Amino acid sequence: MASARSLSQFQKAFSDEASCAAFMFKRRWPDGFVCPACGKRRVAALKSRPRLHECLDCGRQTSVTAGTVMHRSRLPLTTWFWAAHLMTTHSNGMSALQLQDQLGVTYKTAWLLTQKLRRSMVDPDREPLEGVVEVDQAEIAFREGDTFFEPGNAGKILVIGAVEIIERDTNQAKPRRKHAKYLDTRSGRIRLAMISDNSSASIEAFVNANVKRGATLLTDGHKSYPGLTGYRHDPRVVGKMAAHIVLPWIHRAFSLMRRWSLGTYHGLRRKHVDTYLNEFVFRYNRRYYRHVSFETLLGLAADKEPASYWDIIKRDNPRSRTGSAPLLHIDEPESAG
Ligand SMILES: [Zn+2]
């Protein structure tokens, strides 16, 4: 299945509910199913409802989608699978509009699919960056609401990024003496985040959360860096030289991200900047094995709490002002409320 690169091959491998459910089943219980009610292991899939498996000892039914973003969705599993495949393999990712065209679903469904799958693009257990790491900040333009993106009158947000510097010949990091040039390198993994300002507190919080202690930090020598403890700091004096020359890899990442946000989304929207950044990082860090990352996406998705429509659009659910919030699902009709 990992070799199913093209959409048509992929659609053949996951042509119906049963093949998707079987894949989910193996992903979720790699060591074999254990009934959550009785602890026995004998189980049968229901022919009419392939998402459900019934314990042959106690009769308890377990859904392969329980606890995943797909839970209780009435969308076919094939739609979820194909959407995840498109979002991970398409060279620039997928906007909701593109997904709508490719899958023949409504715009609202496509938009919620992209939002929910993007939320799965952060691995909470991901390893921090290590070795030699370039860190820098950049201003990125964003657009408000549905207005057209015009760089002249766009707002700006501040993004901080970090990237691992890898030696081409050994494929490993090699810290050098201070101020030495890092030639013949490539970029490893990256991290990006929006920060509110250039203060030491903002920068330190990002570095501490994303870079392993002991790493060598290559920076532009901004006054907010020296407070960082537990790292080897090697500031590159920018002075006359442009930052993209002394810190080439993080600036390459910034410019790719700018181009991608314009090409795919016609400019980032402030409200969703974090999910867009996560998507970019997810795709960048898997750029050499994109065709298998849909599995990561669905696998990661299985560890996520289901998000409701109202969580995603960051509005109060009008139906749940009192009492507990009913979980709304991606393919529910528009609320009348
Ligand atoms: Zn049982």
Side-chain angles (χ1 to χ4, degrees), residues 139-156:
E139 279 190 335
I140 308 283
F142 70 89
R143 67 182 173 124
E144 291 280 16
D146 291 322
T147 57
F148 281 106
F149 180 77
E150 288 173 67
N153 61 18
K156 301 266 191 193

Side-chain angles (χ1 to χ4, degrees), residues 125-140:
D125 300 321
R126 61 191 184 176
E127 294 291 314
L129 305 185
E130 57 187 358
V132 181
V133 178
E134 284 183 14
V135 188
D136 205 3
Q137 301 96 268
E139 279 190 335
I140 308 283

Side-chain angles (χ1 to χ4, degrees), residues 35-40 55-60:
C35 174
C38 72
K40 301 271 173 56
C55 174
L56 293 177
D57 287 289
C58 74
R60 161 81 171 255

Side-chain angles (χ1 to χ4, degrees), residues 51-85:
R51 291 179 199 198
L52 287 181
H53 288 71
E54 193 171 271
C55 174
L56 293 177
D57 287 289
C58 74
R60 161 81 171 255
Q61 295 184 343
T62 304
S63 171
V64 292
T65 62
T68 74
V69 292
M70 291 170 262
H71 195 46
R72 288 190 195 161
S73 166
R74 277 170 297 211
L75 281 176
L77 293 180
T78 48
T79 301
W80 283 101
F81 272 55
W82 299 351
H85 174 81

Side-chain angles (χ1 to χ4, degrees), residues 127-131 133 162-164 189-191 210-212 215:
E127 294 291 314
L129 305 185
E130 57 187 358
V133 178
V163 57
E164 292 171 332
R189 298 171 301 156
I190 62 167
R191 292 290 157 73
N210 291 285
V211 185
K212 201 170 172 177

